[in-house]
Amino acid sequence: MFGPPGAGKGTQAKVLQETRGLPQLSTGDMLRAAIAAKSPLGQKVEAILAKGDLVPDETVVGIINERLNKPDAAKGAVFDGFPRTIPQAEALDRLMASRGKQIDLVIELKVDEAVLLGRAEQRVKETVAAGGTPRPDDTPETVRNRLDVYRRNTAPLVAYYAKQGKVVTVNGMAPIADVTAAIARALDAKAR
Ligand code: AMP
């Protein structure tokens, strides 16, 4: 599941987890869990996440490698927020190949930047209204940095996977159910 912060990757990955039994492998969630647990990894990455910068490639590749060893990932998985750099994508190709697997499909969720900034603000408001603590990296300043980082480091991955004929682009500004339906069509077409 590919796209800028706020594109809806997590929302759609969760749907695939529920409807197709494909576990959602979100490096962001794994890093936030490590921070909450105050583990050595969490302490190492906390300031990086707070700024909206990228955690070193070898760190996230390591946690994805471990995660892929769990039995629930054996029949397939949805990667959410990983890979985010070309070296991560190359490492993922190697991790998959060593397991006799491959990336089948890359869903690119396309959303205008102005919409993304609005969504981050909305996510903060809704979390506060529900009595929760908003993500510290959803402040407007950090979201802008996350968008810059995305443009610079992550957007080039579309070309990386397009060369392999794996990218299906979906309009991420459509209503959630329409995005879900478009992704389902892409997956079903691939399975045929
Ligand atoms: P996310 O929940 O996917 O938006 O990720 C939140 C933050 O975790 C990012 O802004 C990065 O600081 C860090 N992060 C998550 N995934 C990666 C990754 N694949 N590579 C580097 N940093 C990551």
Side-chain angles (χ1 to χ4, degrees), residues 108-131:
E108 179 198 14
L109 295 174
K110 252 208 151 105
V111 179
D112 290 345
E113 286 208 1
V115 173
L116 295 170
L117 287 166
R119 283 187 182 178
E121 271 174 46
Q122 193 61 26
R123 177 150 72 179
V124 171
K125 273 191 211 143
E126 283 170 8
T127 308
V128 170

Side-chain angles (χ1 to χ4, degrees), residues 89-106:
E90 291 170 345
L92 179 59
D93 281 345
R94 288 193 294 272
L95 291 182
M96 301 296 275
S98 71
R99 291 167 169 87
K101 297 193 185 330
Q102 58 167 7
I103 296 292
D104 295 315
L105 191 61
V106 175

Side-chain angles (χ1 to χ4, degrees), residues 2 86 106 108 154-167:
F2 189 86
I86 298 278
V106 175
E108 179 198 14
T154 309
L157 286 179
V158 177
Y160 177 89
Y161 286 114
K163 259 188 236 148
Q164 302 176 21
K166 292 179 177 169
V167 179

Side-chain angles (χ1 to χ4, degrees), residues 27-28 31-32 49 53-55 81-82 84 88 135 146:
T27 39
L31 295 167
R32 280 185 289 277
L49 266 80
D53 290 337
L54 291 182
V55 167
F82 179 90
R84 263 176 155 98
Q88 288 180 25
R135 271 176 58 164
R146 287 163 63 202

